[in-house]
Amino acid sequence: VCSSDLFINTYMRLFELFDKPYQFTKYASGANKLAYAFESTYTKDGQEAKDIVQAECHRVKDTNNWHFGFHIGKSGQATGNFDAIRIFATLLEVLKDFLNSPHTRTLENLYFGAELGTGPNAMSRIKLYDRFAKKMPSVGLEYQGDGGIQDGKKYYHFIKP
């Protein structure tokens, strides 16, 4: 297999995964919080493994600003392989659901804090989160810039036009 064939196969696999988000469940809904969960699969040590991804949108106290975040179960391993694309595709679907809820009628700002981690993967995580931020217009959010890096997180700022 030549390197260009490998690149094309990898590229096609990424697009296939982006078109196949996981099914998710909304498990908490209130005036100030919506929470979602879905199961992700990945390969670890040659074996298929599963983890639960939880995503949450919550209102910043006494404002029309909301924060979006997610956490990957116990392992946190899922974003270290191809499954990251499918996870982010699902997170975009979660955001679409959130933005179609009555909670967002007064939404002014949405903030997303991305855990950077440490070690050799920190820069690739930043690139992955930057790509996720660039996909936000597809769900109806306009990128306003990032809020820099604080406490091991990179913050992104969006508005609902």
Side-chain angles (χ1 to χ4, degrees):
V1 177
C2 76
S3 62
S4 64
D5 289 340
L6 180 61
F7 174 77
I8 290 169
N9 288 338
T10 302
Y11 189 75
M12 294 304 293
R13 173 99 167 104
L14 288 172
F15 271 101
E16 288 172 11
L17 289 172
F18 219 108
D19 289 339
K20 296 178 184 175
Y22 290 109
Q23 292 291 319
F24 62 87
T25 302
K26 187 185 310 183
Y27 68 89
S29 181
N32 296 315
K33 176 181 171 182
L34 276 84
Y36 303 83
F38 57 94
E39 188 175 73
S40 116
T41 58
Y42 59 98
T43 303
K44 182 177 182 179
D45 301 326
Q47 301 289 320
E48 185 176 283
K50 295 182 180 203
D51 226 332
I52 300 296
V53 180
Q54 295 176 304
E56 181 179 300
C57 301
H58 69 271
R59 185 188 305 269
V60 178
K61 188 176 180 179
D62 299 326
T63 69
N64 290 326
N65 301 324
W66 287 74
H67 181 268
F68 172 73
F70 73 96
H71 173 71
I72 300 171
K74 295 178 184 175
S75 74
Q77 294 295 313
T79 57
N81 57 46
F82 278 120
D83 200 44
I85 302 301
R86 198 163 173 202
I87 288 171
F88 281 104
T90 308
L91 292 171
L92 287 171
E93 292 300 314
V94 163
L95 282 168
K96 282 181 194 174
D97 185 83
F98 167 68
L99 291 170
N100 287 321
S101 74
H103 301 79
T104 61
R105 278 184 281 218
T106 60
L107 181 140
E108 292 175 5
N109 299 286
L110 179 76
Y111 297 94
F112 170 59
E115 193 79 37
L116 299 179
T118 59
N121 294 331
M123 288 308 295
S124 63
R125 287 174 68 98
I126 290 172
K127 289 178 184 176
L128 183 61
Y129 292 129
D130 287 347
R131 281 193 295 179
F132 181 62
K134 288 177 184 173
K135 291 283 189 185
M136 293 298 199
S138 71
V139 298
L141 292 170
E142 186 177 299
Y143 182 58
Q144 295 296 295
D146 65 60
I149 297 174
Q150 299 177 23
D151 302 322
K153 285 187 176 182
K154 181 173 182 180
Y155 290 91
Y156 299 85
H157 175 206
F158 304 92
I159 61 169
K160 186 178 177 185

